[in-house]
Amino acid sequence: MEDVNLTSNHTNDIGNKAVMIIDAYKAYSSSIVVLNGFNMNVEKGTIYGLLGPSGCGKTTLLSCIIGQSRLDAGHIKLSINKKKDIGYMPQELALYNEFNILETLHYFGLLYEMCYEDIISKGEKLMKIMELSSVKTQFGSLSGGQQRRFSLCVTLLHEPSLLILDEPTVGLDPIISASIWEYIKDLANCGKTIIITTHYIEEARQANTIGLMRKGVLLSEASPVEIMTSCNVDTLESAFLILSQNHNAVNTNMDVYRKKCIHPSTTTIEKSSFFEYTRFKAQMLKNWYWSIRNWEIIFFICFLPIFTVLIFNITIGRTPSYLQIGIVNNEIPSPCPYESNNICDNTIPLSCKYIHEIENQGLSLKYYNDVKLAEEDSIRGHTWGFMQFKQNFTDMIKVRFDDAMDMSVDDLEKSSISIRMDMSDFVISKLIEGKLLLSYRDLAINFKSCNKNSSVVSIIRTLPFKIMQPVHGSFNINIVFYGSAAIISILGLYSTFLFTALSINMDINSGMIERSLASGLSISEIFLSQFLLQFVIMLFQIGSMFILQFVVFKHPFLSSPIWPFALVLLQGICGTFLGFATSVTFDERLTTFIGICLVMSQVFLGGIMWPLESMHSILKTITVFLPLTLSIEALRSMNARNWDIFHPTVMHGFQSILGWILFSITITILSLKFKSVIKRTK
């Protein structure tokens, strides 16, 4: 939403009028014309009753007067030029149910740049006049009539010279409505100018002047008596009916008028300054009150990342406790009958030594004397597969080393270990394969203690490859280490996105933003205060996640903590601005779907579930442009590879997240420029 620009019009050229509207035109589309050549004059110190059916354009007109919307054409001239000189009471209550009366008065008093003592004294005076209870009473616990009266108190707190009341008596008891009208008349007698809209036509007889509005046009503007006399009727309702019928009989060509509206709109109301400390303080105070009253939401937002990291580390990547494989050892009766397993003892078959190392890896072994029985058990799911050592396996290994060229195909088969695995579960099958490989590696390491002339040393040399230390990482492969960077990044972005979008949408849907903006608050102050609150929450979230991941659960962390922390902080800032962008562009439901889509797309396309290298080239190109893909890889590279910020992979991660922040800010600005936030509440 953008405030209306200040023009060169002066306030002293409208004489004794408080409001003057000339040739006002406003349309939301070519078929929806809200104001069509509208003219209106409000005398100072009078009550002006603006009457008309719902949807005739009354609320839009008031929004243009207070500077929250812009006319497409026409002029608005006011006797005042600052928003704080206007008291605006919207049709919706637009107040927080969770706040008590004192907190609400304190917030709006600061927006009006009042000192605390004045807020208390004037607030208590208004409370007595409106017959309201203690200032500690929660607004949501008041009755409907009390809430209306307190909303009027908020409007009158700073003693404005111009009051704009949108349907202040709608839905109220007639006695309460009458008391409000009596107070409004007292204000007018004290020199205040009041514009009041209502669709209760007869109650508007109490106004000094009445404007009858229909389809964006002012049908008549005069005192109640003059309007009824001109139509020769006894009630305003009858007069309104006659004027409406006469209006239908006139051929009003909107296209002809639209061609006349070639000049831009003007108004004398000033645009709110970009930043004012007192208003910013008020907004921060409101955020504090809101956080206390909605502590469950704050608790959830703060501890959701911590809870998720705990669950992730406890459930993901841990080695299964019971993985059973079958052993068919045709070389010797199973299990091996030897009391000791001296690695250098040539009398112990090599198969037994290898089986011993497999047991040390935590695998559970089930021995069979028949291959068919082992296969049947594997098919039934009793084991995850089986291994078979052929008869004379150890002797054939020796032959393979001494004279492999003269070995027959059958002899080569006997010197091999046959393994048949259940590959239905990819993760478990790969874990078992890794343990079998590590078992052979440990066997090779243990042989180093033997005499170099021992035949068993010759045997191990037949291994066709050598396992060396990894370039990055360790032999203890754990998927939780691989996914830790992604989990932190997604939680950092989504939790801030969720909280920001939720907060802004709650303010918009409740009407609180509209009322605050009408009281002088600027969009920049709303965003800055929200960002500051979010920043404090982010520091807590990121610090907690880093301590859990890298201190408690001891994930690899080879680099300095400064740059990884800074990168995750930027991801949280990106989530904040994405929350701003979506909440001011879309409604609450669509914002929720966008958040879900953002997380799911990042989970499946960001290299978390499966490496990017396995994707189709086109899809891989698309994933690069997601918010977190490059920054996740950068975070993983810093933590596990100790690459500094100048490494291309790390630098690209920082550039990507900074680019998304700038993109989100741009979308927010464009949405505020071309689409009214307030329009969504109408």
Side-chain angles (χ1 to χ4, degrees), residues 549-563:
Q549 288 282 64
F550 306 116
V551 178
V552 177
F553 292 106
K554 302 184 185 303
H555 287 225
F557 196 83
L558 305 179
S559 67
S560 167
I562 297 176
W563 291 115

Side-chain angles (χ1 to χ4, degrees), residues 497 500-502 504-506 508-509 577-595 597 663-664 667-668 670-672 675-681:
F497 171 90
T500 302
L502 176 66
I504 298 296
N505 273 301
M506 285 178 65
I508 292 174
N509 294 333
F577 283 109
L578 278 174
F580 285 149
T582 53
S583 60
V584 301
T585 306
F586 307 106
D587 60 26
E588 188 173 5
R589 290 177 298 177
L590 192 54
T591 298
T592 302
F593 290 136
I594 290 174
C597 180
F663 172 76
S664 302
I667 293 297
T668 303
L670 291 176
S671 294
L672 293 173
K675 179 180 179 180
S676 171
V677 177
I678 309 306
K679 182 180 176 181
R680 285 167 43 191
T681 66

Side-chain angles (χ1 to χ4, degrees), residues 390-428:
K390 301 295 177 61
Q391 191 174 11
N392 300 323
F393 170 74
T394 303
D395 294 335
M396 289 296 101
I397 286 288
K398 294 178 181 179
V399 173
R400 186 170 184 172
F401 174 75
D402 294 331
D403 193 13
M405 297 298 294
D406 292 336
M407 292 182 71
S408 64
V409 174
D410 184 58
D411 290 339
L412 287 172
E413 180 70 20
K414 291 178 180 179
S415 66
S416 302
I417 304 173
S418 300
I419 303 177
R420 189 173 182 189
M421 295 292 300
D422 178 355
M423 301 296 291
S424 60
D425 191 311
F426 177 80
V427 175
I428 289 182

Side-chain angles (χ1 to χ4, degrees), residues 79 226 238 405 419 561:
S79 59
E226 290 174 336
S238 299
M405 297 298 294
I419 303 177

Side-chain angles (χ1 to χ4, degrees), residues 520-591:
L521 191 68
S522 68
I523 288 290
S524 57
E525 289 157 352
I526 294 175
F527 286 169
L528 186 59
S529 62
Q530 181 67 31
F531 176 77
L532 188 58
L533 173 63
Q534 186 65 272
F535 189 80
V536 174
I537 295 176
M538 277 191 289
L539 291 178
F540 174 79
Q541 290 174 325
I542 298 171
S544 301
M545 288 191 294
F546 269 57
I547 291 173
L548 278 176
Q549 288 282 64
F550 306 116
V551 178
V552 177
F553 292 106
K554 302 184 185 303
H555 287 225
F557 196 83
L558 305 179
S559 67
S560 167
I562 297 176
W563 291 115
F565 191 92
L567 183 59
V568 178
L569 187 61
L570 287 175
Q571 292 168 339
I573 293 173
C574 179
T576 301
F577 283 109
L578 278 174
F580 285 149
T582 53
S583 60
V584 301
T585 306
F586 307 106
D587 60 26
E588 188 173 5
R589 290 177 298 177
L590 192 54
T591 298

